[in-house]
Amino acid sequence: MLLGFLILLSCQLAGEWLMLVLGLPIPGPVAGMLILFAGLLWYGEVPAALRFPAEGLIRYLTLLFVPAGVGLVQHFELLGNEWLVVALTLVSSTFLTMLATAMIFRAVYPGPEKDAADG
Amino acid sequence: MDELNVSSFWVYFASGPLLWLVTTLAVYLAAVWLHRKLGGSPLLNPVMLTMFAIMGLLVLTNTDYDTYFEGAQFIHFLLGPATVALAVPVYDQLPRIRRLWLPIVSACFVGGLIAVLTAVGITLLLGGSEDLVLAMAPKSVTSPIALGIAEQIGGYPSLAAGIVLLTGIIGCALSPLVFRLLRQKDPAVQGFTLGLAAHGFGAAWAFQMGSLAGAFAGLAMALTGVFSSVVIPLVVGLML
C-alpha cells in the first residue's frame, strides 16, 4: 500500500520535473500517468502493492473534484450575470461533443469483439 | 462573557483546516447516501449536491474560499496521484486498446476539436464576455490540465475549474440520452465518450458502469488532455 503510494507520487514528481525541463504545458500528474504507463509496459504486470492504492483513489475520484469545484463560490457575480450563456453553452457544446465522439468512434470501429471473454 | 467564549471557540475551529476537511468528507458521504436512497439518478449527482451544500455553508458562515481551501487542499492534493493511478486500468485493457487504436485516435482528434470549437463559438454567439470565453475553452479537459490552459490563455483558473466540474456533471447527466439516441451499448465507446467530453468526472461515472468503460474513459481523458493543451491556445488565438 505504502510502496504503491510512493510509486504514484514518484511518477507525479518525475512528471513535474520532466515537463519543467522540457518546457511543455502538460501538467505533472498527466505526464506522471504516461510515465507510470511506460513503467507498467516495461515491468509487464501491475504489482499488487500498486493496485490497491490505485484502485482506492480511483474509487473516490469524484470526491477529489469537490474542493476545486467549490471555487465557483468566488465567481457568483460573473455567473449571476451570464448564467444563461453558461448553461446553454455547456449543455449544447457537451451534447455535440459526445454525439460526435461516439459517432466517429463507431464509424471507424474494426468490427465486433473477437475477444469478448476477457475483461 | 459567554458570548465572547462561544465566538472565540468558533473562530479557533473555523480557522483550523480540520473543520472544512471533516465537513467536506461528511457532506460527501451524506450526499452519496442520499443519492442512493433516491434511486441513483445521474441528474442528482452526489458531487453536485456536495458542492452546492458546501457553497451554501460557506455563504451562511461568511467563510471565504481561501479558508475553506486550507482544509480541503488535503483532498485536492490526492487528485494528482489519482490521475497518475489511471495508468493502471488503462494498462489492464491494453489488448483492447491495441486493437482499437484507430477509433481511439480519430475520436480523440475530432471530439477534442469539437469540444473547444463549440465551447468558444457558442459562448461568443450568445454574447458571453471574454473572461467567460477564456474559462469555457478548456471545459472538457481534466481539471489539472484545464487550470494550466486557463492560466496560459489568460483566464481565471478558479472559474475554469468550476466550469470544468459543471461540464462533468452535465456530461454524465446527458450521457444516457446520447447513448440511447445513437443506440450505443458498447462499454468501450460509452467510456471513451464520457472521458473525452466529461474528463475525470465522466471517468469516475464510467468506472461505476464497469472497469472496461472506466479504462477507456481514463484513456480518453489523458489523450484529450495532452491534445487539448496544444490545440486550445491555438484555437483561442484564432477565434478571439
Side-chain angles (χ1 to χ4, degrees), chain B residues 159-205:
Chain B
L159 180 59
I163 286 183
V164 164
L165 206 89
L166 290 176
T167 306
I169 293 167
I170 290 170
C172 293
L174 287 176
S175 64
L177 175 71
V178 173
F179 299 143
R180 207 174 315 135
L181 219 60
L182 296 174
R183 292 201 185 80
Q184 190 53 261
K185 290 198 183 100
D186 190 309
V189 182
Q190 293 193 346
F192 197 87
T193 306
L194 273 166
L196 190 140
H199 51 89
F201 208 92
W205 189 256

Side-chain angles (χ1 to χ4, degrees), chain B residues 120-219:
Chain B
V120 172
I122 297 174
T123 309
L124 284 173
L125 208 69
L126 296 174
S129 65
E130 198 182 311
D131 280 343
L132 188 63
V133 173
L134 294 175
M136 282 292 208
K139 74 166 182 38
S140 282
V141 185
T142 179
S143 40
I145 306 188
L147 291 176
I149 295 175
E151 228 160 36
Q152 203 191 342
I153 60 180
Y156 295 116
S158 57
L159 180 59
I163 286 183
V164 164
L165 206 89
L166 290 176
T167 306
I169 293 167
I170 290 170
C172 293
L174 287 176
S175 64
L177 175 71
V178 173
F179 299 143
R180 207 174 315 135
L181 219 60
L182 296 174
R183 292 201 185 80
Q184 190 53 261
K185 290 198 183 100
D186 190 309
V189 182
Q190 293 193 346
F192 197 87
T193 306
L194 273 166
L196 190 140
H199 51 89
F201 208 92
W205 189 256
F207 270 109
Q208 287 171 6
M209 297 166 20
S211 61
L212 174 62
F216 270 81
L219 179 71

Side-chain angles (χ1 to χ4, degrees), chain A residues 46-64:
Chain A
V46 181
L50 176 63
R51 188 172 285 281
F52 185 68
E55 289 181 349
L57 279 170
I58 290 169
R59 183 139 45 100
Y60 293 108
L61 197 57
T62 54
L63 164 69
L64 311 183

Side-chain angles (χ1 to χ4, degrees), chain A residues 12 27 30 33 36 41 44-45 51 58 62 65 67 71 74-75 82 89-90 92-93 97-98 100 106 108-109 113 118, chain B residues 28 47 65 80-81 91-92 94 96 103 115 118 122-123 128-129 139 143 145 158-159 165 167 184 186 193 197 204:
Chain A
Q12 188 183 345
V30 176
M33 177 190 170
L36 179 59
L41 283 178
E45 62 171 334
R51 188 172 285 281
I58 290 169
T62 54
F65 291 100
Q74 297 170 293
H75 298 283
E82 306 194 68
T89 308
L90 287 185
S92 53
S93 164
T97 304
M98 295 183 86
R106 196 75 232 175
V108 284
Y109 207 82
E113 290 277 343
D118 79 294
Chain B
Y28 178 76
V47 177
Y65 180 64
Y91 178 79
D92 286 339
L94 195 61
R96 267 204 186 76
T118 53
I122 297 174
T123 309
S129 65
K139 74 166 182 38
S143 40
I145 306 188
S158 57
L159 180 59
L165 206 89
T167 306
Q184 190 53 261
D186 190 309
T193 306

Side-chain angles (χ1 to χ4, degrees), chain B residues 22-37:
Chain B
V22 170
T23 307
T24 305
L25 291 176
V27 170
Y28 178 76
L29 283 178
V32 169
W33 177 83
L34 188 70
H35 178 244
R36 209 169 290 156
K37 263 277 182 272

Side-chain angles (χ1 to χ4, degrees), chain B residues 3-28:
Chain B
E3 215 178 78
L4 187 80
N5 277 339
V6 167
S7 88
S8 59
F9 171 85
W10 174 250
V11 167
Y12 174 75
F13 270 92
S15 61
L18 201 54
L19 175 69
W20 291 109
L21 180 60
V22 170
T23 307
T24 305
L25 291 176
V27 170
Y28 178 76

